[in-house]
Amino acid sequence: MMVKMRKWFENYWYHYKWRTLIVAFFVVIFTVCVVQMLQKKSYDAYILYSGPKVFSSEQETALTNALRYVVSDYDQNGEINLCLTKLIMMSEEELEEAKAQAEAEGSTLAYNYDTRQRTKDQLGMEMMTGNSYLCFLSEFIYQEYKDHDRFAALADVLGYHPEDADDAFSIKLANTAYGAYFSDAFSCMGENVIVCIRQPNVVDKYAKDAMDEYQNNVEILKKIIEFKVQ
């Protein structure tokens, strides 16, 4: 019996070896993809912060808890999960101030310009094709991208122009009741952090999932601007 089985296998392997290997390869790839999809964490909102501030884990926890007040259970899984992308970028002026402060404290600020360029490139990609639509930005970062038609006009997404808006596209978080109420949580971003929403790119506008996600972010922005203390 064993001899017959071995001969059958040898004959099969001789005629179908490459087909079997190809099928096995695709089965492995498919299995890995399915496992990754099942293990992938689902987020109710992707939010971008870019500016000079670095958060401690305690600060990020407080910030995330404050954001949960305006983020809904988008994927309806019974939890509110946020993905906060942090891209740390300083203007030359902010960098000089940080160096002077470090020197006054008797230390030296180590700043890697190669890392800065990589972060700048990553931020550029995020602004064009990233997952995040809702943005919390320093004045420097906001001005860098404002003239590149990256942000949606508040009047277009809200249906009106907020009285306390800085310009057509943004509002300072501190000028909202929400920002004032959660000022301790958001202090890690700096007092002049700007809130705005990135426009969908050309591809996103033709993708239902992307536009649904964009509208979800519009609702979050609306809750931030229209927040009232109970």
Side-chain angles (χ1 to χ4, degrees):
M1 183 69 178
M2 292 298 295
V3 173
K4 286 183 179 180
M5 285 292 294
R6 187 177 66 184
K7 286 184 177 180
W8 174 87
F9 180 77
E10 288 174 349
N11 182 62
Y12 171 86
W13 191 247
Y14 177 79
H15 289 95
Y16 301 105
K17 177 175 69 174
W18 290 112
R19 279 183 249 184
T20 302
L21 290 174
I22 291 170
V23 170
F25 172 77
F26 282 106
V27 167
V28 170
I29 294 297
F30 176 77
T31 302
V32 170
C33 290
V34 169
V35 170
Q36 288 181 340
M37 287 176 63
L38 292 174
Q39 291 179 341
K40 184 178 179 181
K41 190 170 184 177
S42 177
Y43 293 105
D44 298 296
Y46 294 84
I47 296 172
L48 171 67
Y49 165 77
S50 187
K53 303 297 185 181
V54 179
F55 310 152
S56 67
S57 58
E58 291 81 7
Q59 288 173 325
E60 186 166 345
T61 297
L63 181 60
T64 300
N65 288 337
L67 286 167
R68 286 197 173 99
Y69 277 82
V70 291
V71 175
S72 60
D73 184 11
Y74 179 69
D75 58 9
Q76 298 182 337
N77 68 348
E79 300 177 352
I80 296 179
N81 295 309
L82 308 176
C83 180
L84 180 63
T85 299
K86 304 177 294 296
L87 297 177
I88 310 307
M89 281 276 292
M90 292 185 184
S91 66
E92 290 298 329
E93 181 181 347
E94 288 168 338
L95 179 56
E96 290 305 316
E97 289 177 358
K99 285 180 177 178
Q101 182 178 348
E103 188 176 335
E105 294 171 353
S107 60
T108 303
L109 177 69
Y111 195 78
N112 190 313
Y113 281 89
D114 289 336
T115 301
R116 184 180 191 273
Q117 185 58 51
R118 286 195 294 271
T119 302
K120 186 176 182 180
D121 293 341
Q122 187 179 351
L123 179 58
M125 290 298 295
E126 189 70 29
M127 285 295 181
M128 289 191 293
T129 60
N131 290 321
S132 305
Y133 288 106
L134 187 64
C135 304
F136 292 81
L137 307 175
S138 68
E139 179 74 26
F140 164 65
I141 298 297
Y142 174 71
Q143 293 298 335
E144 281 278 298
Y145 288 93
K146 176 185 173 183
D147 296 332
H148 295 283
D149 199 28
R150 290 287 186 265
F151 306 118
L154 296 177
D156 291 341
V157 297
L158 300 174
Y160 65 93
H161 184 72
E163 291 182 5
D164 295 324
D166 275 24
D167 56 25
F169 308 100
S170 69
I171 186 169
K172 281 191 172 65
L173 183 63
N175 291 342
T176 66
Y178 173 78
Y181 186 77
F182 291 105
S183 58
D184 288 345
F186 284 101
S187 62
C188 60
M189 287 186 173
E191 59 183 12
N192 292 319
V193 69
I194 288 170
V195 187
C196 53
I197 192 163
R198 178 177 68 82
Q199 289 205 72
N201 59 42
V202 175
V203 176
D204 286 350
K205 289 178 180 178
Y206 292 94
K208 184 181 183 302
D209 287 349
M211 291 309 295
D212 287 346
E213 181 63 34
Y214 172 71
Q215 191 56 45
N216 177 46
N217 280 262
V218 168
E219 293 302 317
I220 298 170
L221 177 63
K222 191 177 291 188
K223 289 178 182 177
I224 289 173
I225 292 175
E226 297 177 355
F227 181 86
K228 289 182 174 59
V229 179
Q230 301 297 323

